[in-house]
Amino acid sequence: MIRAAVVGATGYTGLELVRILSTHKDVELTAITSRSNPATLFSEIFPSFKGIVSLKTEEFDATAISTKADLVFVALPHGSAMDVVASLLTEGLKVIDLSADFRFSSLSTYEQWYGGHSCPELLKETVYGLPELNRERIANARLVANPGCYPTSVILPLMPLIKEDRIVNESVVVNSASGASGAGRSAIVSNIYCEVNDSFKAYKVGEHRHTPEIEELLSLAAGEELLISFTPHLIPMNRGICSTITAKLKNNLSTKDLLKILEDFYHKETFVRIYPEGSYPDTANVRGSNYCDIGLKVDERTGRVVIVSVIDNLVKGAAGQAVQNMNIMFGIDEGEGLNHVPFSI
Amino acid sequence: MIRAAVVGATGYTGLELVRILSTHKDVELTAITSRSNPATLFSEIFPSFKGIVSLKTEEFDATAISTKADLVFVALPHGSAMDVVASLLTEGLKVIDLSADFRFSSLSTYEQWYGGHSCPELLKETVYGLPELNRERIANARLVANPGCYPTSVILPLMPLIKEDRIVNESVVVNSASGASGAGRSAIVSNIYCEVNDSFKAYKVGEHRHTPEIEELLSLAAGEELLISFTPHLIPMNRGICSTITAKLKNNLSTKDLLKILEDFYHKETFVRIYPEGSYPDTANVRGSNYCDIGLKVDERTGRVVIVSVIDNLVKGAAGQAVQNMNIMFGIDEGEGLNHVPFSI
Amino acid sequence: MIRAAVVGATGYTGLELVRILSTHKDVELTAITSRSNPATLFSEIFPSFKGIVSLKTEEFDATAISTKADLVFVALPHGSAMDVVASLLTEGLKVIDLSADFRFSSLSTYEQWYGGHSCPELLKETVYGLPELNRERIANARLVANPGCYPTSVILPLMPLIKEDRIVNESVVVNSASGASGAGRSAIVSNIYCEVNDSFKAYKVGEHRHTPEIEELLSLAAGEELLISFTPHLIPMNRGICSTITAKLKNNLSTKDLLKILEDFYHKETFVRIYPEGSYPDTANVRGSNYCDIGLKVDERTGRVVIVSVIDNLVKGAAGQAVQNMNIMFGIDEGEGLNHVPFSI
Amino acid sequence: MIRAAVVGATGYTGLELVRILSTHKDVELTAITSRSNPATLFSEIFPSFKGIVSLKTEEFDATAISTKADLVFVALPHGSAMDVVASLLTEGLKVIDLSADFRFSSLSTYEQWYGGHSCPELLKETVYGLPELNRERIANARLVANPGCYPTSVILPLMPLIKEDRIVNESVVVNSASGASGAGRSAIVSNIYCEVNDSFKAYKVGEHRHTPEIEELLSLAAGEELLISFTPHLIPMNRGICSTITAKLKNNLSTKDLLKILEDFYHKETFVRIYPEGSYPDTANVRGSNYCDIGLKVDERTGRVVIVSVIDNLVKGAAGQAVQNMNIMFGIDEGEGLNHVPFSI
């Protein structure tokens, strides 16, 4: 039995971690923390958990947690996470951090896009927790940086094509759209129901912080610096990310050729599903599940490929991927606790 | 008083035409037709019009309409519209056609993307009804082809930049997203509430019929053939289109430079609003109104501009633009009947 | 020209007042105030008003407003409104207050449900601003208390039946449901998009403050104290209230009989529409308009009538009704500026 | 291993049955039928099931099914179900029918509300499949009639209070609201996204077919005929039913008293959760799960209790309850395969 704790359990990512962990047969959830709702029954804050989770939230205390847990999921905002993570590692715990604080191998990139870092020495040992790329390193990590939601949806489909040198690296244009849970459980006017409903908009045009994360990973694969145009949008729905990626092809390749590359790359993966020619995924096809679904089409008129990939931002984009990483770190079946059938309706 | 008729009044475009025309002070709506709901009070089909519109639907009869109307709005699907339009012109009526049937000057383009045409001789005289570009020709037209919804949202922001030769023509990538009213009032499974709600998806990837319409207009402006990558998406909301356009810049231009070009181009236009630097429009900002709102940013890292433009697909993307065209054709104030304040909440 | 000011212009009710007043041909909007966004262009806070409203918000100052306005709409929360209203009256202005502060003729009822009152002496002269019941008194009022949204939807359909003594007074059960704009533009967690979307719930069961307001008006009509069971619910949509009212009938009356009573009572009213037998209104049928639509059915099995009434909570339930009151107070056409066709799609 | 088949697998109820059964560890799903999508991979019709369900739909053939299955879930519309059920019983199969065809012990009630019945002789032996009331009889049934969605949400909270004679039987007023999946996966105009979104309405006022089903069960408990006023509404969301029940109390009972009765009645039940005083359930609290959550309040002013109960119409209101019945019929743990944590966001 893995004894797990969730730090920041009352945000949407924390909530989703609790949802998934509460039915994971090899996990005992032993501690949850919350600053906004301290010392309260989780099932009182979220009555949906009545009869399911009987824990109370507690204040964060690394030493106290170390007596109860083997692994800690840290679901705090970037900036707040780094010190918490460091203190947990000091206590000898394994940590999966869901913030951006440890996602970059380059300190200067972090500083440029996010600000100062209090424990840069940890960046070196941290493993970027995308199981489909880093499975072996994750297995041996004590600190895993869980990928961002947008990056997961972009890196998975692009990685094989870049590694095989099929696309013109400087031509990548990414348009993504996310459900409103991506903005977190923050009481701010722009998050109010009436401001999001019946509305669709681009935001942080040319300056979203997931841009360098995507670029670092793709550059590694490309063997050269690769910059992308990334424009995120907000969709009036709770969950789901759809990334539409357009790129020039290096050669005369067909839709079938590119699908074959993806299928070959991912044929052993449980959570990546490649769609047949003529078919494209819908965010509803993966809702509530850990899948990343991918479809694509070569447009011969323009010499570009258009790739459509979807994930549930809270699952494969956050909590589900974190649990997948945990499974790998503890040597159990990678899909354990993640067999949710997508909730398509 | 302009005596106007609407052919196909019970689809969403027809319904919106009736909504707008019913409060237009220079218009008397004299006839409405419907195949699906014949010989029925409009206010029985749509109780929202109780006490507002007292007309009954009738079957289409060009001669009967010619005794009651000076102008006819044809809101039928492409393919069905062409013969209706021809018969109305024969009766000496002015026509604004909201289908795709007369949007192309090139017959072969129409045939390639849509199929056969029964009255290609009319294509030559038809005026493409984008007032901001063709105002003078619209004023004298007897047949106006009202633009498609996606094309309106793409052509308006791009036209000035292409005319001024600021962007690399072959680099244009367009990602658009539309509310569900764009799919029409058709009883098909993919239109059912539960299939659209909580869902976001790309559709007709690389093959949407608005692609050649956009390309024809932009090529004209560019003075050379210009092909685009166009990927439409479906948003879980009723109304609104957001087009996010990415293109390489020819020179070292700033956000301010490009905004200045758009402002200069549109400063006399009532229905095009350019946003200041750092601000991007939301579909909610134009809902229920005839505005096209545009914001943009130059991303110096990649040398690209990202333009965001929004319209209400049923208003500036269809019925509102049609009424704007009517106003021009009849020499009245272009904004008459179109002073709806956007319904942002 | 009526010179009008809106105090509290950046909440949803204030925003809707500005939307309606900005196209009212007999009104000049001369001042708007906001505590949350002071000294800012209204069109910067709400870009949908770009090119439509050029005012800046100012801080509230009764004397300053008195130099610019003849009438003030006060759109503040209850408790905050009373002093503002008193100061405006002192300056000789006419006031329409959209809070609950002046809706009760009984001070003790106000105190019991809302708390203390700083100017109870004004309660006597205040007119309850439901035009269909109090038109003459509104015409001569200097202070009009604009009705609550739920009360408007409940009083209009019940009043005629109670006045005619058709229903058993103690049998009235009201279930209402409101869109999320009813909760205001407050940044609190329960208003966040993800907390409201895909969710339906009752709230303030047995203790909603609109209960005594409904009861006071209905009791007046009944000539005896009348208590109701009132349960409000929250709907995942922006606008609209639907009230479903169930009551025992005193006599053996048919659906037709009751519809006739309502039709006779309201046949001269522009903004109350009675539906024919077998047809019931939908909130979408009145969205964005000042209508109250009503349908009903007698259930002979149980001896009860079920009445369904709908309004747009921001229009007939707030800003539209306030403008209707203004029109009456200034002797202009009651429907002026309120000819919005319902925005059913 | 229970070998199970689903007849009518491509409607929303069938789809939900497949979703639940596909992760039930004691069930092998061996056959699925569809008239609208015959001989097609289920995962092609619903790509969310890619990699999860590998079955193809087949045409209905009772004999063929009998070679593969022990139990059949029939998820067809009423009228279509009865003959299918009869033929499956003839083949010796156990059947859980999710239509209304076998829910009534009284043939005349069925005929009055639904029409003719082809196998009325089966009505006698059929067990009404509400486990919390009929567990023992379900265990031994060969034909279980799965309750309607609205009835489940109304009978569960009312039954204990009626059995204990706490409420005035003729005073029960029920207002329910359902998500759009309740209308089925039918391509009709009233189901189109734009017709449901941003809209709330009552429907089938005084004539919904679930009325007699509720009345039959409650009358049995009351020991006398009990008629209710039942008004259903449509909510713009996919899943969930909220029933708000108002009734006069026989005695001076407090909220605590009534909660105690419900808690005592249901304290051994896994899927009924009673909320503490002052707290009411939200449909989101049970989404995707088999729970029925109940809260209530005594309104001393009117002598009435207001009860709020919520279920997921597709789970406890259909497929989940059917699986619960199956578990009972096959003697396995009643909650097996039903441990879905509610999907509250």
Side-chain angles (χ1 to χ4, degrees):
Chain A
M1 214 62 168
I2 307 164
R3 298 175 309 150
V6 175
V7 173
T10 56
Y12 288 141
T13 300
L15 174 61
E16 188 71 358
L17 279 163
V18 176
R19 184 177 80 90
I20 294 173
L21 293 170
S22 66
T23 59
H24 191 300
K25 74 179 183 46
D26 299 322
V27 170
E28 186 190 2
L29 187 61
T30 57
I32 54 178
T33 81
S34 171
R35 284 174 300 186
S36 53
N37 298 81
T40 314
L41 277 173
F42 194 72
S43 64
E44 194 177 305
I45 310 169
F46 301 109
S48 53
F49 284 87
K50 218 174 132 65
I52 297 168
V53 169
S54 56
L55 287 173
K56 272 195 176 182
T57 56
E58 46 190 87
E59 288 201 39
F60 176 72
D61 176 334
T63 310
I65 288 178
S66 74
T67 66
K68 300 191 246 186
D70 310 309
L71 170 77
V72 183
F73 295 94
V74 178
L76 299 177
H78 70 88
S80 305
M82 52 181 83
D83 292 326
V84 162
V85 167
S87 68
L88 291 164
L89 292 175
T90 302
E91 295 288 343
L93 290 157
K94 295 194 177 194
V95 177
I96 297 174
D97 178 38
L98 289 93
S99 84
D101 283 356
F102 298 94
R103 288 184 194 149
F104 295 86
S105 58
S106 154
L107 174 62
S108 67
T109 305
Y110 184 87
E111 287 175 336
Q112 181 188 341
W113 290 80
Y114 288 89
H117 203 295
S118 62
C119 35
E121 69 285 359
L122 288 172
L123 293 179
K124 289 240 166 58
E125 73 159 291
T126 312
V127 179
Y128 189 75
L130 197 56
E132 290 77 6
L133 299 179
N134 288 335
R135 187 166 283 118
E136 284 70 29
R137 296 181 54 219
I138 293 165
N140 300 307
R142 62 170 192 153
L143 172 55
V144 167
N146 215 57
C149 50
Y150 288 125
T152 298
S153 74
V154 176
I155 295 166
L156 285 173
L158 271 181
M159 186 63 71
L161 305 181
I162 288 176
K163 282 195 168 167
E164 300 247 342
D165 200 22
R166 301 306 187 179
I167 65 175
V168 178
N169 289 337
E170 66 269 27
S171 75
V172 178
V173 170
V174 178
N175 277 263
S176 295
S178 172
S181 61
R185 198 158 166 262
S186 308
I188 52 175
V189 166
S190 62
N191 275 353
I192 291 180
Y193 180 83
C194 296
E195 311 278 322
V196 174
N197 186 39
D198 286 329
S199 150
F200 184 83
K201 58 175 151 276
Y203 67 100
K204 297 200 180 156
V205 177
E207 57 186 27
H208 194 283
R209 284 159 162 166
H210 284 175
T211 311
E213 185 180 338
I214 298 169
E215 289 175 346
E216 182 172 303
L217 271 284
L218 296 185
S219 296
L220 257 172
E224 63 173 18
E225 192 186 37
L226 186 160
L227 298 182
I228 63 166
S229 287
F230 173 59
T231 311
H233 301 73
L234 181 61
I235 315 170
M237 64 184 201
N238 287 10
R239 289 166 177 252
I241 280 179
C242 175
S243 286
T244 303
I245 305 162
T246 312
K248 281 274 179 190
L249 291 170
K250 280 211 165 140
N251 320 97
N252 231 345
L253 294 157
S254 69
T255 300
K256 276 194 186 12
D257 294 335
L258 295 186
L259 284 173
K260 177 85 169 45
I261 292 171
L262 287 175
E263 278 156 7
D264 288 351
F265 197 90
Y266 288 121
H267 76 283
K268 287 188 184 161
E269 293 294 341
T270 306
F271 294 120
V272 179
R273 304 191 293 193
I274 311 301
Y275 279 46
E277 185 165 6
S279 161
Y280 309 95
D282 179 333
T283 58
N285 294 0
V286 299
R287 188 167 51 203
S289 82
N290 201 47
Y291 292 105
C292 175
D293 283 9
I294 304 171
L296 64 80
K297 169 151 190 161
V298 170
D299 181 1
E300 283 151 20
R301 299 168 61 256
T302 61
R304 291 198 188 91
V305 61
V306 178
I307 310 172
V308 180
S309 87
V310 301
I311 59 170
D312 182 321
N313 58 307
L314 294 180
V315 190
K316 186 62 176 170
Q321 186 140 271
V323 170
Q324 190 180 355
N325 283 321
M326 175 196 75
N327 290 341
I328 295 169
M329 290 163 83
F330 285 81
I332 61 180
D333 183 275
E334 191 171 324
E336 195 56 58
L338 293 169
N339 71 334
H340 311 87
V341 181
F343 199 72
S344 66
I345 294 296
Chain B
M1 215 63 170
I2 307 165
R3 298 175 309 151
V6 175
V7 174
T10 56
Y12 287 141
T13 301
L15 174 60
E16 188 71 357
L17 279 164
V18 175
R19 184 176 81 91
I20 294 173
L21 294 171
S22 66
T23 60
H24 192 299
K25 74 178 182 48
D26 299 322
V27 170
E28 185 190 2
L29 187 62
T30 56
I32 54 178
T33 81
S34 171
R35 283 175 301 187
S36 53
N37 297 82
T40 313
L41 276 172
F42 194 72
S43 65
E44 195 177 305
I45 310 168
F46 300 109
S48 54
F49 284 88
K50 218 173 132 65
I52 298 168
V53 169
S54 56
L55 288 172
K56 273 195 174 181
T57 56
E58 44 191 88
E59 289 201 39
F60 175 73
D61 176 334
T63 310
I65 288 178
S66 75
T67 65
K68 300 192 245 184
D70 309 309
L71 170 77
V72 182
F73 295 94
V74 178
L76 299 178
H78 70 85
S80 304
M82 52 180 83
D83 292 327
V84 163
V85 167
S87 68
L88 291 164
L89 292 175
T90 302
E91 294 288 343
L93 290 158
K94 293 192 177 195
V95 177
I96 297 173
D97 179 40
L98 289 93
S99 84
D101 284 356
F102 298 93
R103 288 183 194 150
F104 294 87
S105 58
S106 154
L107 174 62
S108 68
T109 305
Y110 185 87
E111 287 173 338
Q112 182 189 339
W113 290 82
Y114 287 89
H117 204 295
S118 63
C119 35
E121 70 285 0
L122 289 171
L123 294 179
K124 289 240 166 56
E125 73 158 292
T126 311
V127 178
Y128 188 76
L130 197 56
E132 289 78 7
L133 299 179
N134 287 336
R135 187 166 283 120
E136 284 71 30
R137 294 182 55 218
I138 294 166
N140 300 305
R142 60 169 194 155
L143 172 55
V144 166
N146 215 57
C149 49
Y150 286 125
T152 297
S153 74
V154 177
I155 295 166
L156 285 173
L158 271 181
M159 184 65 69
L161 305 181
I162 287 176
K163 282 195 168 167
E164 300 246 342
D165 200 22
R166 301 306 186 178
I167 64 175
V168 178
N169 289 336
E170 65 270 26
S171 75
V172 178
V173 170
V174 178
N175 276 262
S176 295
S178 171
S181 61
R185 200 159 165 261
S186 308
I188 52 176
V189 166
S190 62
N191 275 354
I192 289 180
Y193 181 82
C194 296
E195 311 278 323
V196 173
N197 187 38
D198 287 328
S199 150
F200 184 82
K201 58 175 151 274
Y203 68 99
K204 296 200 179 155
V205 177
E207 57 186 27
H208 194 284
R209 285 158 161 167
H210 284 174
T211 311
E213 185 180 337
I214 298 168
E215 290 175 347
E216 182 172 305
L217 270 284
L218 296 184
S219 295
L220 257 173
E224 63 173 17
E225 192 186 35
L226 185 160
L227 298 182
I228 64 166
S229 287
F230 174 60
T231 310
H233 301 74
L234 181 60
I235 315 169
M237 64 184 200
N238 288 10
R239 290 167 177 251
I241 280 178
C242 175
S243 286
T244 303
I245 305 163
T246 312
K248 280 275 181 191
L249 291 170
K250 280 210 165 142
N251 321 97
N252 232 344
L253 295 157
S254 70
T255 301
K256 276 193 187 12
D257 294 335
L258 295 186
L259 285 173
K260 177 86 169 46
I261 292 172
L262 286 175
E263 279 156 7
D264 289 350
F265 198 89
Y266 288 121
H267 76 284
K268 289 189 183 159
E269 294 294 340
T270 307
F271 295 120
V272 179
R273 302 190 295 192
I274 310 302
Y275 278 46
E277 186 165 5
S279 162
Y280 309 95
D282 179 331
T283 59
N285 294 0
V286 299
R287 189 167 51 200
S289 82
N290 201 48
Y291 293 106
C292 175
D293 283 9
I294 304 170
L296 64 81
K297 169 150 190 162
V298 170
D299 182 0
E300 283 150 20
R301 298 167 62 254
T302 60
R304 291 199 189 91
V305 61
V306 179
I307 310 171
V308 180
S309 87
V310 301
I311 59 170
D312 183 321
N313 58 307
L314 294 179
V315 190
K316 186 62 176 169
Q321 185 140 273
V323 170
Q324 191 179 356
N325 282 321
M326 176 197 74
N327 290 342
I328 296 170
M329 291 164 83
F330 284 81
I332 61 180
D333 184 273
E334 190 170 324
E336 195 56 59
L338 293 168
N339 70 334
H340 311 87
V341 181
F343 200 73
S344 66
I345 294 297
Chain C
M1 214 63 168
I2 307 164
R3 298 174 310 152
V6 175
V7 173
T10 56
Y12 288 141
T13 302
L15 174 61
E16 188 71 358
L17 279 163
V18 175
R19 184 178 79 92
I20 294 174
L21 293 170
S22 66
T23 59
H24 192 300
K25 75 180 182 49
D26 299 323
V27 170
E28 187 190 0
L29 187 61
T30 57
I32 54 178
T33 81
S34 171
R35 283 175 302 188
S36 53
N37 297 82
T40 314
L41 275 174
F42 193 73
S43 63
E44 194 177 307
I45 310 168
F46 301 109
S48 54
F49 284 88
K50 215 175 135 63
I52 298 169
V53 170
S54 56
L55 289 172
K56 272 195 175 181
T57 56
E58 44 191 271
E59 288 201 40
F60 175 73
D61 176 333
T63 310
I65 288 178
S66 75
T67 65
K68 300 192 243 183
D70 310 307
L71 170 77
V72 183
F73 295 94
V74 178
L76 299 177
H78 70 86
S80 304
M82 50 181 82
D83 292 327
V84 162
V85 167
S87 68
L88 291 165
L89 291 175
T90 302
E91 295 287 344
L93 290 159
K94 295 194 178 196
V95 176
I96 297 174
D97 178 38
L98 289 94
S99 85
D101 283 357
F102 298 93
R103 288 184 194 151
F104 295 87
S105 57
S106 154
L107 174 62
S108 67
T109 305
Y110 185 87
E111 287 174 338
Q112 183 188 336
W113 290 81
Y114 288 89
H117 204 293
S118 63
C119 35
E121 68 286 358
L122 287 172
L123 294 179
K124 288 240 166 58
E125 71 158 294
T126 311
V127 179
Y128 188 76
L130 197 55
E132 290 76 8
L133 300 178
N134 287 336
R135 186 166 285 119
E136 283 72 29
R137 296 181 56 220
I138 293 165
N140 300 304
R142 62 169 191 154
L143 172 55
V144 166
N146 214 57
C149 50
Y150 287 125
T152 297
S153 74
V154 176
I155 295 166
L156 284 173
L158 271 181
M159 186 63 68
L161 304 180
I162 287 175
K163 282 196 166 164
E164 300 246 342
D165 201 22
R166 301 305 187 181
I167 64 173
V168 178
N169 289 336
E170 65 270 25
S171 74
V172 178
V173 171
V174 178
N175 277 262
S176 295
S178 173
S181 61
R185 197 156 167 265
S186 308
I188 52 177
V189 166
S190 62
N191 275 353
I192 290 180
Y193 181 83
C194 296
E195 310 278 322
V196 174
N197 187 39
D198 286 327
S199 151
F200 184 83
K201 59 175 149 275
Y203 67 99
K204 296 198 177 158
V205 178
E207 58 185 28
H208 194 282
R209 285 159 161 167
H210 284 175
T211 311
E213 184 181 337
I214 298 169
E215 289 176 347
E216 182 172 304
L217 271 283
L218 295 184
S219 296
L220 256 173
E224 63 173 20
E225 192 187 37
L226 186 160
L227 299 182
I228 63 165
S229 287
F230 173 60
T231 310
H233 300 74
L234 181 60
I235 316 169
M237 63 185 200
N238 286 11
R239 292 166 175 251
I241 280 179
C242 175
S243 286
T244 303
I245 305 162
T246 313
K248 281 274 180 191
L249 291 170
K250 278 210 167 140
N251 321 98
N252 231 344
L253 293 158
S254 69
T255 301
K256 277 192 183 16
D257 295 335
L258 296 186
L259 284 173
K260 178 88 170 43
I261 292 170
L262 287 175
E263 279 158 6
D264 288 351
F265 198 89
Y266 288 121
H267 75 283
K268 287 188 184 162
E269 295 294 343
T270 306
F271 294 121
V272 180
R273 302 191 293 191
I274 311 301
Y275 279 44
E277 186 166 4
S279 161
Y280 309 96
D282 179 331
T283 58
N285 295 358
V286 300
R287 188 167 50 203
S289 82
N290 200 47
Y291 292 105
C292 175
D293 283 9
I294 304 171
L296 63 79
K297 168 151 192 165
V298 170
D299 180 3
E300 283 150 20
R301 298 167 62 254
T302 60
R304 290 198 190 92
V305 61
V306 179
I307 310 173
V308 180
S309 87
V310 300
I311 59 170
D312 183 321
N313 58 307
L314 293 180
V315 189
K316 186 63 177 169
Q321 186 141 268
V323 170
Q324 191 181 357
N325 283 321
M326 176 197 75
N327 290 341
I328 295 171
M329 292 165 82
F330 285 81
I332 61 179
D333 184 274
E334 191 170 324
E336 194 56 58
L338 293 168
N339 70 334
H340 312 86
V341 180
F343 200 72
S344 66
I345 294 297
Chain D
M1 214 61 169
I2 306 164
R3 298 175 309 151
V6 175
V7 173
T10 55
Y12 288 140
T13 302
L15 173 61
E16 188 71 356
L17 279 163
V18 175
R19 183 176 81 92
I20 295 174
L21 293 170
S22 66
T23 59
H24 191 301
K25 73 180 183 49
D26 300 322
V27 170
E28 185 191 1
L29 186 61
T30 57
I32 54 178
T33 81
S34 171
R35 283 175 301 187
S36 52
N37 296 81
T40 314
L41 275 173
F42 193 72
S43 64
E44 193 177 308
I45 310 169
F46 300 110
S48 53
F49 284 88
K50 215 173 135 64
I52 298 168
V53 169
S54 57
L55 287 172
K56 272 196 174 180
T57 56
E58 45 190 89
E59 289 202 39
F60 175 73
D61 176 334
T63 310
I65 288 177
S66 74
T67 65
K68 301 191 243 184
D70 309 309
L71 169 78
V72 183
F73 295 94
V74 178
L76 299 178
H78 71 85
S80 305
M82 51 180 82
D83 292 327
V84 162
V85 167
S87 68
L88 291 164
L89 292 174
T90 302
E91 295 288 342
L93 290 158
K94 295 194 178 196
V95 176
I96 297 174
D97 179 38
L98 289 94
S99 84
D101 283 356
F102 298 94
R103 289 183 194 151
F104 295 87
S105 59
S106 155
L107 175 62
S108 68
T109 305
Y110 185 86
E111 288 174 337
Q112 183 189 336
W113 291 80
Y114 287 89
H117 204 294
S118 64
C119 37
E121 69 286 358
L122 288 172
L123 294 178
K124 288 240 166 56
E125 73 159 292
T126 312
V127 178
Y128 188 75
L130 196 57
E132 289 78 8
L133 299 179
N134 288 335
R135 186 167 284 118
E136 284 71 29
R137 295 182 55 220
I138 293 165
N140 300 305
R142 62 168 191 153
L143 172 56
V144 165
N146 215 58
C149 49
Y150 287 125
T152 297
S153 74
V154 176
I155 295 165
L156 285 173
L158 272 181
M159 184 65 68
L161 305 181
I162 287 175
K163 282 196 167 164
E164 300 246 341
D165 201 22
R166 300 306 186 179
I167 64 173
V168 178
N169 288 336
E170 65 270 26
S171 74
V172 178
V173 170
V174 178
N175 276 262
S176 296
S178 172
S181 61
R185 198 158 167 263
S186 307
I188 53 177
V189 167
S190 62
N191 275 354
I192 290 179
Y193 181 83
C194 295
E195 311 278 323
V196 173
N197 186 39
D198 286 328
S199 150
F200 184 82
K201 58 174 150 275
Y203 67 99
K204 295 199 180 157
V205 178
E207 57 185 30
H208 194 283
R209 283 159 162 166
H210 284 174
T211 312
E213 184 180 338
I214 298 168
E215 290 176 347
E216 184 172 303
L217 272 283
L218 295 184
S219 295
L220 256 172
E224 63 173 18
E225 191 187 37
L226 187 159
L227 298 181
I228 64 166
S229 287
F230 173 60
T231 310
H233 301 73
L234 181 61
I235 315 169
M237 63 184 200
N238 287 12
R239 291 165 176 253
I241 279 179
C242 175
S243 286
T244 303
I245 305 163
T246 313
K248 280 274 179 191
L249 291 170
K250 278 210 167 139
N251 321 99
N252 232 344
L253 294 157
S254 70
T255 300
K256 277 193 182 15
D257 295 335
L258 296 187
L259 284 174
K260 178 84 170 49
I261 292 172
L262 286 175
E263 279 157 7
D264 288 352
F265 197 89
Y266 288 120
H267 75 283
K268 288 189 184 161
E269 295 293 342
T270 307
F271 294 120
V272 179
R273 304 191 292 193
I274 312 300
Y275 279 45
E277 187 165 4
S279 161
Y280 309 95
D282 180 331
T283 58
N285 295 359
V286 299
R287 189 168 48 203
S289 82
N290 201 47
Y291 292 106
C292 174
D293 282 10
I294 304 171
L296 63 81
K297 169 152 191 162
V298 170
D299 180 3
E300 284 150 20
R301 298 167 63 255
T302 61
R304 291 198 189 91
V305 62
V306 179
I307 310 171
V308 180
S309 87
V310 301
I311 59 170
D312 182 322
N313 58 306
L314 293 180
V315 189
K316 187 62 176 169
Q321 185 141 270
V323 170
Q324 192 181 355
N325 282 320
M326 176 197 74
N327 290 341
I328 296 170
M329 291 164 83
F330 284 81
I332 61 180
D333 184 273
E334 190 171 324
E336 195 55 59
L338 293 168
N339 70 335
H340 312 87
V341 181
F343 199 73
S344 66
I345 294 296

